[in-house]
Amino acid sequence: MLPTLISIGSFRIYSYGVMLSLGLFVGLYYFWKMGRDEHWEEIALFDGFFLALLTYYVVGRVGYVLSNWSEFQSLSAAFSLLSRPGIAHYLGIAGSLAMVIVI
């Protein structure tokens, strides 16, 4: 797979971002289809999906920053996702499951 799919000047579209977006939408489609077969309310399904996704990123990032606090000297460094990326996946999954259970 090519790392860069399209490059026009300084504008680039990377294959990782395209595959990540496709995976998100395919997962949302199957989640919606299974919920529809179980006769769940569609608005609640979409709200739950996006809230769980947001919770995953927020809890995972906060967990990563707190577990690696020596790398982050200030609060502004903790918010800089591009210069210091990272996510605690297990904490994100736990937070996401907790959000789905609460909803």
Side-chain angles (χ1 to χ4, degrees):
M1 181 183 308
L2 300 174
T4 304
L5 293 177
I6 297 171
S7 177
I8 301 171
S10 64
F11 178 75
R12 293 185 181 134
I13 296 179
Y14 295 100
S15 60
Y16 181 74
V18 171
M19 292 299 146
L20 189 65
S21 299
L22 285 174
L24 176 73
F25 288 118
V26 167
L28 180 58
Y29 171 73
Y30 282 120
F31 187 68
W32 168 75
K33 187 176 178 185
M34 288 189 309
R36 188 185 61 178
D37 292 342
E38 295 292 328
H39 305 292
W40 290 351
E41 186 181 345
E42 292 180 5
I43 302 290
L45 282 174
F46 283 107
D47 288 348
F49 182 83
F50 288 118
L51 280 174
L53 188 67
L54 179 69
T55 304
Y56 171 80
Y57 284 120
V58 169
V59 171
R61 179 63 181 180
V62 168
Y64 180 78
V65 168
L66 291 178
S67 64
N68 298 315
W69 186 249
S70 61
E71 292 179 22
F72 302 97
Q73 303 301 326
S74 66
L75 191 59
S76 65
F79 286 119
S80 62
L81 296 174
L82 297 177
S83 65
R84 292 185 174 97
I87 237 174
H89 298 289
Y90 294 117
L91 289 175
I93 291 171
S96 178
L97 286 175
M99 176 61 72
V100 169
I101 290 171
V102 166
I103 291 178

